[in-house]
Amino acid sequence: MQPTNQEKDHFSVNDLQIVSKKTLFQGFFRMVKYQFKHRLFQGGWSETIEREMFERGHAAALLAYDPQRDEVVIIEQIRVGALEHDQPWQKEIIAGMIEPGEDAQDVVRREAFEEAGISVARLEKITSYYPSSGGCSEKLDVYIGEVDTTQAGGVHGLDTEGEDIKVHVLSRQQAYQWIKDGQIENGASIIALQWLELHHQQLQSQWRS
């Protein structure tokens, strides 16, 4: 159905009003309470809505891929969000928080060395997305990077951040099977590996030249 004069088919930041914003908690992360109003699709404005939001900054993730060997690097570490679930040790792609003034590509290169001991050559952007925009402000930039998997392995991480990270090197096919088997439960990792499954031939052609 086509929008009427009272309806809009697209909204932007100009179609909302933040009434108040209050920090409820400030620790390793921050919790904020918003009161806001927004325009309605059929015209007019909403009542004042109150929501709590988890503010954890923005992050960047990297699927480390060796096009010569058709292998990927997956890391494994304990995750607080899964402490009381079936598998507290999560298998994921490399990732890290973007600090003020940092570029996302610099972040994934740094994290690749810190978390897996590897250097990244060429990079390609896969996507950007909100993992949980219903209650969290985080936006994640996802990349695929060219690496030499013969240099990957062992246990890495920063002692100052309490990191204990095990590195896995496996074939692209095996990594995708880990998704099917439920061994990989991380959203960015699933997105990146599914993207690779669709584009690996094109990527190999580009990166092997």
Side-chain angles (χ1 to χ4, degrees):
M1 184 175 68
Q2 294 296 318
T4 68
N5 291 335
Q6 290 76 38
E7 295 176 340
K8 290 190 66 172
D9 59 2
H10 176 73
F11 287 130
S12 72
V13 69
N14 297 318
D15 295 299
L16 65 86
Q17 176 189 356
I18 297 176
V19 177
S20 68
K21 177 182 177 181
K22 179 182 179 182
T23 298
L24 302 178
F25 174 79
Q26 178 70 65
F28 189 74
F29 298 118
R30 184 162 66 116
M31 182 69 72
V32 176
K33 177 180 282 188
Y34 280 101
Q35 289 185 325
F36 64 97
K37 299 179 180 180
H38 64 86
R39 291 190 187 275
L40 301 172
F41 287 114
Q42 292 186 313
W45 285 79
S46 71
E47 298 295 325
T48 299
I49 299 170
E50 187 173 275
R51 293 286 188 274
E52 291 80 27
M53 187 197 72
F54 180 42
E55 173 62 76
R56 55 164 288 146
H58 302 303
L62 173 76
L63 174 56
Y65 177 60
D66 186 331
Q68 307 298 327
R69 298 169 182 81
D70 200 19
E71 293 178 334
V72 300
V73 176
I74 299 295
I75 61 173
E76 182 177 359
Q77 61 184 318
I78 194 166
R79 288 305 207 183
V80 65
L83 284 183
E84 298 191 58
H85 297 173
D86 291 338
Q87 184 48 267
W89 277 264
Q90 292 283 296
K91 296 182 177 71
E92 308 168 337
I93 61 174
I94 293 160
M97 302 304 297
I98 302 174
E99 301 297 335
E102 277 191 312
D103 178 85
Q105 294 191 19
D106 293 336
V107 171
V108 295
R109 291 182 185 279
R110 181 193 72 217
E111 293 294 331
F113 184 76
E114 291 180 0
E115 296 188 343
I118 51 177
S119 298
V120 181
R122 286 172 283 196
L123 280 171
E124 182 169 331
K125 179 78 171 287
I126 294 177
T127 191
S128 295
Y129 77 103
Y130 291 95
S132 185
S133 61
C136 181
S137 64
E138 180 186 22
K139 192 172 186 179
L140 189 63
D141 294 327
V142 185
Y143 292 86
I144 186 164
E146 181 186 20
V147 302
D148 178 358
T149 52
T150 65
Q151 305 302 309
V155 176
H156 298 267
L158 298 179
D159 292 339
T160 55
E161 296 183 7
E163 294 178 330
D164 181 50
I165 301 171
K166 183 178 180 179
V167 173
H168 300 271
V169 175
L170 58 159
S171 69
R172 172 181 50 82
Q173 296 91 336
Q174 183 61 50
Y176 197 68
Q177 188 63 45
W178 278 10
I179 294 177
K180 295 179 180 179
D181 295 342
Q183 293 190 57
I184 294 179
E185 302 175 300
N186 171 267
S189 305
I190 293 171
I191 289 170
L193 286 166
Q194 288 181 332
W195 184 94
L196 180 61
E197 194 67 14
L198 293 172
H199 297 91
H200 66 274
Q201 291 179 332
Q202 176 185 350
L203 199 62
Q204 288 171 2
S205 176
Q206 292 173 353
W207 285 0
R208 283 177 175 176
S209 59

